[in-house]
Amino acid sequence: IYLSIYLSIYLSIYLVQEEVDEAYENNGGRMPEYSEIMALPYMESCILETMRMQSSVGLLLRACVKEIY
């Protein structure tokens, strides 16, 4: 099971790196513009999945402050 997790992470990193390298080459060897970065679908998917799995909120605690019958 750990091997499959490792391979999926490695594949994700590889695909994002390929996408970024292609955007870099398409921009003439310069850093891509904001609009070009926003057009990288796999990178956006990886960022959204990371935000889903590793929430910046941490722990959300709720407490009942009013009794409901």
Side-chain angles (χ1 to χ4, degrees):
I1 205 166
Y2 293 113
L3 180 59
S4 63
I5 293 171
Y6 174 75
L7 289 176
S8 68
I9 291 170
Y10 179 76
L11 179 62
S12 298
I13 292 170
Y14 176 76
L15 291 174
V16 170
Q17 184 65 51
E18 288 292 315
E19 195 174 60
V20 170
D21 288 345
E22 183 179 333
Y24 186 76
E25 289 172 7
N26 290 343
N27 202 29
R30 296 188 328 247
M31 187 65 113
E33 299 292 325
Y34 179 76
S35 60
E36 295 165 345
I37 292 172
M38 294 306 292
L40 302 176
Y42 200 77
M43 186 162 103
E44 181 180 8
S45 297
C46 287
I47 290 170
L48 291 175
E49 181 66 11
T50 300
M51 289 171 58
R52 183 185 75 84
M53 296 293 291
Q54 304 292 328
S55 175
S56 62
V57 174
L59 182 62
L60 183 60
L61 298 175
R62 296 181 182 185
C64 183
V65 293
K66 179 177 157 184
E67 288 191 35
I68 300 174
Y69 293 99

